[in-house]
Amino acid sequence: MKIFKRIVSIVCLILIAALTGCGDAKKAEEINSYLEENYSAPASQEETYPESESLLGILEEAGFTTEKFDRFEEIGIETERIKAAKDEEYLDICYNVSVEEDVQKIIEYYMQNYNKCNLLNDEGTIICYSSDSVMEQAGLNQ
């Protein structure tokens, strides 16, 4: 029972200290400033995936045969597209697809034309791939 009373006392002291705002605002501001300067969070990346040229290099280095297009010819959509294949594995990615109707057309095309189809639609980037290992080799795992 004594242990329980001690724990309750400690918790109460912590709550009181937190509620009364121990320390002054200037000291807290100095600490926050120091932490921001010395331990700032990494800058957020605007792009989630490597740019197309970088991705081409990564895929070619991993042994994939690659093709780059400025248009998805089969369905008539203007988009930056990369197709890559190695043995039974493949990757087909479209960048900067902003129109929802175009997103749907691309997804439907992928579903109809790839037997083993894994799809990822992330803010204008649509990826169709054969396996997780392809995503790893391409550096596209998040």
Side-chain angles (χ1 to χ4, degrees), residues 58-106:
I58 293 168
L59 290 166
E60 289 170 356
E61 197 172 295
F64 285 82
T65 302
T66 62
E67 296 177 278
K68 181 180 176 186
F69 307 94
D70 292 327
R71 181 173 169 78
F72 202 128
E73 286 294 332
E74 295 88 343
I75 53 179
I77 295 174
E78 298 294 324
T79 182
E80 194 169 8
R81 181 182 183 197
I82 294 177
K83 290 175 66 174
K86 178 172 72 171
D87 302 324
E88 298 293 316
E89 303 224 76
Y90 66 85
L91 173 79
D92 194 337
I93 182 171
C94 293
Y95 288 93
N96 304 318
V97 183
S98 57
V99 178
E100 185 61 34
E101 184 178 311
D102 292 346
V103 170
Q104 292 304 319
K105 286 180 183 178
I106 292 170

Side-chain angles (χ1 to χ4, degrees), residues 44-62:
S44 63
Q45 297 176 335
E46 285 188 20
E47 295 208 7
T48 307
Y49 305 104
E51 292 182 22
S52 60
E53 294 301 321
S54 177
L55 180 61
L56 282 171
I58 293 168
L59 290 166
E60 289 170 356
E61 197 172 295

